[in-house]
Amino acid sequence: MAGFVFFGFAWAGWIYSTFIMEKTNPYRFPIAASLLVTIIMSVFKIRFLGFDISVAALFLLSISFVTFIKLPFWKLLYCTIGVFIVSSATAVFYLMSLYDPVWIFIDQQILLGFLVTCLAVLLFKEYRTRIFSAIIGLIQGEILYSIVLKKFSIDFSIGSFIFLDGLALTCFFITIWSGFEYLQMIFQHKNFQQKKEKQL
């Protein structure tokens, strides 16, 4: 059922950030509030320039843009290029799956989630940057895809529940990968300390 994965991960994230995350964590309230607003807005759509757009997608896109605007110029330029790559890859993936769906051997959103996760991990080092770049890239990719379909008089809803499922999976994949990197860093730090103590 479309939206099941999105609601599952969104509610799980909201419960964790609201009741489990430490109250001193500065990201606790922004994460909880953003997830709750996204859940509420996911059922609403607006018609803009002939396109049906999810209000939740616009909300997530706005948050991501605001986060990137705060970056220094050169870092912002690099992130812009990286997001462009993710957006282009997303649009090309959709077009290829439409033109030749035979090569989609698993669920489309799972495959797209793996693709965007790989790009985000390769292009960006920070977890937060990976998440926001994936959000912007996926939404902009859907917009590009819908523009192409519009030329053939095909209606396409931007930010549908199927898309939100894929977005949730992508964020989950990025979180798992970044978590493994964090654990690896901890183990390397411990091994370095142990070697240093032995030398002393």
Side-chain angles (χ1 to χ4, degrees):
M1 185 177 70
F4 179 78
V5 175
F6 161 70
F7 282 118
F9 280 120
W11 278 118
W14 182 80
I15 291 170
Y16 175 79
S17 58
T18 303
F19 301 106
I20 301 175
M21 189 178 290
E22 293 181 2
K23 293 183 178 180
T24 56
N25 192 319
Y27 298 110
R28 177 174 173 265
F29 177 75
I31 292 173
S34 298
L35 287 172
L36 188 59
V37 172
T38 303
I39 291 170
I40 295 171
M41 289 184 171
S42 63
V43 297
F44 299 105
K45 292 182 180 180
I46 61 171
R47 188 82 174 171
F48 182 70
L49 297 177
F51 298 100
D52 289 324
I53 307 175
S54 166
V55 178
L58 289 176
F59 173 71
L60 291 172
L61 191 63
S62 301
I63 291 177
S64 302
F65 279 143
V66 169
T67 303
F68 277 139
I69 287 173
K70 298 177 181 178
L71 296 175
F73 175 76
W74 290 110
K75 193 171 184 180
L76 176 61
L77 181 62
Y78 176 82
C79 288
T80 302
I81 296 171
V83 167
F84 174 77
I85 293 172
V86 176
S87 301
S88 301
T90 301
V92 170
F93 175 87
Y94 278 131
L95 290 171
M96 289 183 65
S97 63
L98 179 67
Y99 177 75
D100 188 13
V102 177
W103 64 278
I104 306 295
F105 54 91
I106 59 174
D107 183 82
Q108 184 188 50
Q109 294 302 322
I110 294 177
L111 196 59
L112 179 60
F114 278 125
L115 171 64
V116 174
T117 298
C118 291
L119 288 174
V121 168
L122 290 172
L123 292 169
F124 307 102
K125 293 182 179 180
E126 297 178 1
Y127 170 71
R128 189 175 67 167
T129 308
R130 289 172 177 175
I131 291 291
F132 288 124
S133 66
I135 292 172
I136 297 174
L138 283 169
I139 296 174
Q140 289 187 161
E142 281 231 327
I143 294 172
L144 291 172
Y145 179 60
S146 64
I147 291 172
V148 174
L149 293 183
K150 193 70 175 178
K151 293 181 179 179
F152 297 95
S153 301
I154 301 174
D155 288 328
F156 180 78
S157 181
I158 301 169
S160 64
F161 279 119
I162 295 175
F163 166 79
L164 291 175
D165 283 343
L167 178 61
L169 283 172
T170 303
C171 292
F172 176 71
F173 294 153
I174 292 174
T175 301
I176 293 298
W177 186 279
S178 299
F180 279 126
E181 287 182 340
Y182 179 72
L183 289 175
Q184 184 183 17
M185 184 180 68
I186 290 176
F187 285 133
Q188 287 178 346
H189 182 68
K190 285 186 177 180
N191 289 333
F192 176 76
Q193 282 186 331
Q194 288 176 354
K195 288 180 180 179
K196 195 173 182 180
E197 288 175 359
K198 287 180 180 179
Q199 289 177 355
L200 295 174

